[in-house]
Amino acid sequence: MSVFDVAEGTSPVILAFPHTGTDVPDEIAARLNDNGRLLADTDWHVDRLYAGLLADATTVRATFHRYVIDANRDPSGASLYPGQNTTGLIPVTDFDGAPIWKAGEEPGDSDIALRRAAYHEPYHAALAAQIERVKARHGVVVLYDCHSIRSLVPYLFEGTLPDLNIGTAHGTTCDPQVEAAVVAVAEAATDFTHVLNGRFVGGWTTRHYGRPDENVHAVQMELSQISHLATEAPPFEYDAAKAERLRMTLKSILERLEQVAFRLQSRENADG
């Protein structure tokens, strides 16, 4: 079974889904405790939420769960948010700080090395290949990294998370036009709250691939799950009515990003 799914499109926009996968090999699942087997920290239904919003976009989706290894963490294990609570390359706790592995079954260095080679590296090789393919076609790429999280996670942040959390590593991972396009749509969406570079400024994917000086622009969108789920607790059911309202805003964001990409392409052609 492949550890990733790719659907190639003709748009300059690529959608990445590192955390929607729920596949856990039996030998790894056997080491999870009852809490870990809930897979609670999945980005529930995010791939469904974005399905069909930009017909020609390329999509790259990890099929494995983040408890196997987190595709949006630095493969070196370095923290993305030094000094703040977070989860690692292979999490040892859930987002509430509770253990997810049976006592004595926590992953060690050998597990990290094996899973990095078997899951993390192939996913990112596939994503990097699509970035190169799209860039060869258009001369410019907008990588949009798709995420979600519960709106209330005291272990990770205080208070209630805004609905739309836009991350560009403080403007370093994309052209200002890309950042401005996402913010403009979010500001116009009066049904939803938003923040730019708040608690989530973009994970390893955004920071690693975002190279605006090389015409690769990356932005992360972390959605509050209450915006599209019936409840932020098992069974994490999709709320179609809620989701459809959100999909309208997300569609506008993606369409605006595509327009910006074509403008950047024209600018690059003119400069060239």
Side-chain angles (χ1 to χ4, degrees), residues 8-121:
E8 293 187 349
T10 58
S11 171
V13 176
I14 298 174
L15 306 183
F17 299 93
H19 292 153
T20 61
T22 55
D23 290 350
V24 181
D26 291 343
E27 63 273 18
I28 295 176
R31 298 169 61 179
L32 290 167
N33 62 23
D34 289 344
N35 181 49
R37 290 194 192 102
L38 293 174
L39 305 182
D41 299 329
T42 306
D43 287 10
W44 297 104
H45 309 293
V46 167
D47 47 347
R48 177 179 177 183
L49 190 66
Y50 281 94
L53 294 185
L54 192 64
D56 293 326
T58 293
T59 62
V60 182
R61 188 181 79 88
T63 60
F64 55 93
H65 194 264
R66 68 190 304 157
Y67 291 172
V68 176
I69 192 167
D70 194 326
N72 197 39
R73 293 293 184 270
D74 189 325
S76 74
S79 176
L80 295 172
Y81 295 96
Q84 300 183 62
N85 287 340
T86 188
T87 53
L89 183 59
I90 298 182
V92 294
T93 72
D94 64 13
F95 287 164
D96 294 317
I100 59 174
W101 302 98
K102 294 176 180 176
E105 295 287 353
E106 297 86 354
D109 290 344
S110 61
D111 295 298
I112 292 172
L114 287 170
R115 297 185 204 178
R116 188 166 49 210
Y119 298 95
H120 195 283
E121 291 175 6

Side-chain angles (χ1 to χ4, degrees), residues 9-10 12 37 65 71 80 100 105 107 110 113 124 131 133 135 148 157 159 193 201 207-208 229 259-260 265:
T10 58
R37 290 194 192 102
H65 194 264
L80 295 172
I100 59 174
E105 295 287 353
S110 61
H124 281 285
I131 290 171
R133 181 187 67 84
K135 186 179 177 184
S148 75
F157 51 82
T193 56
V201 303
R207 303 184 207 186
H208 177 69
L229 298 186
Q259 293 167 5
V260 170
Q265 179 187 38

Side-chain angles (χ1 to χ4, degrees), residues 175 177 215 217 262-272:
D175 187 276
Q177 292 184 61
N215 300 313
H217 308 275
F262 285 130
R263 287 204 299 271
L264 293 174
Q265 179 187 38
S266 297
R267 184 180 73 184
E268 181 67 15
N269 291 339
D271 291 345

